[in-house]
Amino acid sequence: MNRTTLSLIGAATALAAVTGVAALTGGSSDDADSVAKAATRLPVQRSTLLCPTPSSSDVSSTTYTAYTPKRDGVDAKDGTAELLPAQNPADDVADPGGDDGGKDGKKGGQPSPGGDKPVLPLKEPGKPVTTDQDSEGAPALIGTADGRFAPGWTVQQTTTIDAGSGRGILGTACTAPDTDFWFPGVSTDRNRQDFVHLTNPDDAAAEVDLKLYGPSGRLKPSTDESITVPPRSTVPVLLSTLTDQRAASASLRVTARTGRIGAAVQAVDQKAGSDWLPASAVPSTSVAIPGLPKDATSARLVVFAPGADDADLKVRLAGPNNSITPAGHESLHVKSGMTTAIDLGDVTKGEPGSLLLTPEGGDGPATPVVAGLQVTRGKGSDQETAFIPATGAIERSATAADNRTKGSTLSLVAPGATAKVRITASAGAGGGSPVSKTYEVKGGTTQALEPPRPASGKGPYAVTVERLSGGPVHASRMLALPQDGVPMFTIQPLPDDRGMVAVPEAGQDLSLLNDD
């Protein structure tokens, strides 16, 4: 084989590799914007999602809901979407003949979701599927969607704990694997039990570093902060075991030195309920935290500056009509490498809103930060808590999979220019027809609305937000399921689903055939 032929094969292989990576990973929005106008946006061909272990409580139950929106330009025939149980290394030491479980995947007479069968396999885009399970003994899930089910595939895990420690609603959208996560708002305090769940979807072990940062900087580790996560397994780690220092508000960084993982933090408060604490959007100089409920009784803002410089931030609350500065919290100074937390109280004053953090000003460059908000509803023994992270903008579309006939509130904030969005309610898991409505979100305001419902629909349904025009839009969804006087609720951020990627157009370059 001559050198000319080898050069041509090498060029074709390199182009295929670049295109394949873009299709599989979703690429970066910044990279996409810099691609030449000739670039074509195509649906992703494969998606991976990881769902953490729901709960060990024997008075809990979990609803799983999976959904893929219908997309133009997607092959209408090929593809699958399903989840399979991950392994928990701690189970290997259990007595297979005892009450704790056995080879059939059962515990206490209840089957854990999956067993040898896939969980939530989709039959067609545009129609969600759902299943209910007792949470005790339920495993973490590793899922893959390809073909027509990959673009925008979303899985929601919603757990109800009826009593005891952690009583409340814990909701999370299953996440894509990555190598770096930030969780501002975690705690090592005595009244909190925060577990980070690390799930490895691949066939090789992942090495993961865990680092905690408190109000005075790095929390001194009391043990090895490096964790090995075996192949296709999940490992929960109690954060208070990583350090002897107690911090009411801290920031956790999860970094995979080898491999990739999914990371999620389950925060359990002895008095104020529990919920999943989602990862913050990547460090940014301007931050949007969408969806403070109008009846929030308290809100605690947690910010961390991961770079070498301090951050000076202007704090604004975007309400239904305009943006205001919370009294007494006009600005925030965040020292480099330290976690800063402030209590905003009942900052919403009966109106829904979103927090916007922007650079205070000055001659120097702005400093990127990560941020999160702990929100409480109710009072006394009837409190319930949830967490809202800094959330990236919706470039094209985002979906919340598990919505009920009552209790769903969609919050949209446009930090800059006015934006127009289309909101579509899918068919229900038990039938019905989709319904779409168009809304305008004025710049500098938050619009909190009850999303449309499917026509004649039954069962949980999905809500998809599409940005049609105008400025950036950030969104979250609150699911409120009150019980026995407790305002149980959970809030999920809605970042862009990365269902479409920019693929550069390939052109002929005869210089590749040069035999020199």
Side-chain angles (χ1 to χ4, degrees), residues 404-416:
R404 316 291 174 91
T405 303
K406 295 181 180 180
S408 291
T409 301
L410 191 64
S411 293
L412 309 168
V413 59

Side-chain angles (χ1 to χ4, degrees), residues 65-68 128 399-403 424-429 452 454 460-464:
T65 307
Y67 177 76
T68 293
T399 297
D402 181 7
N403 296 276
T424 301
S426 73
Y461 64 97
V463 170
T464 298

Side-chain angles (χ1 to χ4, degrees), residues 455-504:
S456 303
K458 295 181 180 180
Y461 64 97
V463 170
T464 298
V465 181
E466 299 173 88
R467 188 181 72 88
L468 301 179
S469 62
V473 177
H474 305 252
S476 68
R477 189 283 313 270
M478 181 175 79
L479 182 61
L481 301 173
Q483 181 174 306
D484 299 329
V486 180
M488 294 187 180
F489 74 115
T490 181
I491 298 175
Q492 278 71 61
L494 298 182
D496 192 86
D497 62 20
R498 305 298 189 197
M500 304 289 286
V501 293
V503 179

Side-chain angles (χ1 to χ4, degrees), residues 47-53 83 141-144 153-157 171-183 196-201 260-265 276-280 389 492-493 495-497:
S47 297
T48 299
L49 292 178
L50 307 173
C51 307
T53 305
L83 300 105
L141 300 175
I142 299 174
T144 302
W153 184 45
T154 303
V155 179
Q156 169 80 16
Q157 174 181 302
T172 183
C174 302
T175 58
D178 207 336
T179 58
D180 198 23
F181 300 85
W182 281 102
F183 295 96
V196 59
H197 291 248
L198 309 172
T199 305
N200 177 6
R260 56 180 189 155
I261 45 105
V265 171
W276 290 99
L277 192 157
S280 171
Q492 278 71 61
D496 192 86
D497 62 20

Side-chain angles (χ1 to χ4, degrees), residues 216-419:
S216 300
R218 176 87 178 273
L219 297 184
K220 184 178 179 181
S222 60
T223 184
D224 187 0
E225 295 172 299
S226 179
I227 305 294
T228 299
V229 186
R232 300 192 65 81
S233 297
T234 190
V235 174
V237 180
L238 180 60
L239 296 186
S240 60
T241 63
L242 299 177
T243 179
D244 293 329
Q245 295 179 265
R246 297 290 168 251
S249 295
S251 299
L252 169 69
R253 186 176 192 181
V254 179
T255 307
R257 281 189 285 139
T258 61
R260 56 180 189 155
I261 45 105
V265 171
Q266 188 180 59
V268 178
D269 191 294
Q270 299 299 321
K271 296 181 179 179
S274 58
D275 207 346
W276 290 99
L277 192 157
S280 171
V282 297
S284 177
T285 56
S286 296
V287 164
I289 303 177
L292 280 78
K294 63 181 181 180
D295 60 350
T297 50
S298 69
R300 183 174 177 83
L301 174 64
V302 182
V303 186
F304 181 79
D309 298 318
D310 295 355
D312 289 291
L313 302 169
K314 182 189 300 183
V315 181
R316 290 183 298 147
L317 177 68
N321 302 309
N322 52 30
S323 295
I324 63 171
T325 300
H329 300 291
E330 294 82 4
S331 62
L332 182 65
H333 180 73
V334 184
K335 293 184 178 180
S336 169
M338 301 182 186
T339 297
T340 297
I342 56 173
D343 288 315
L344 300 174
D346 58 342
V347 64
T348 56
K349 304 296 183 183
E351 292 186 331
S354 302
L355 277 186
L356 304 177
L357 307 180
T358 54
E360 179 70 14
D363 298 331
T367 300
V369 298
V370 292
L373 194 69
Q374 180 178 354
V375 180
T376 302
R377 297 172 69 221
K379 296 181 179 180
S381 60
D382 292 335
Q383 293 183 67
E384 165 71 318
T385 191
F387 299 87
I388 316 172
T391 304
I394 298 175
E395 297 177 9
R396 284 166 179 80
S397 66
T399 297
D402 181 7
N403 296 276
R404 316 291 174 91
T405 303
K406 295 181 180 180
S408 291
T409 301
L410 191 64
S411 293
L412 309 168
V413 59
T418 295

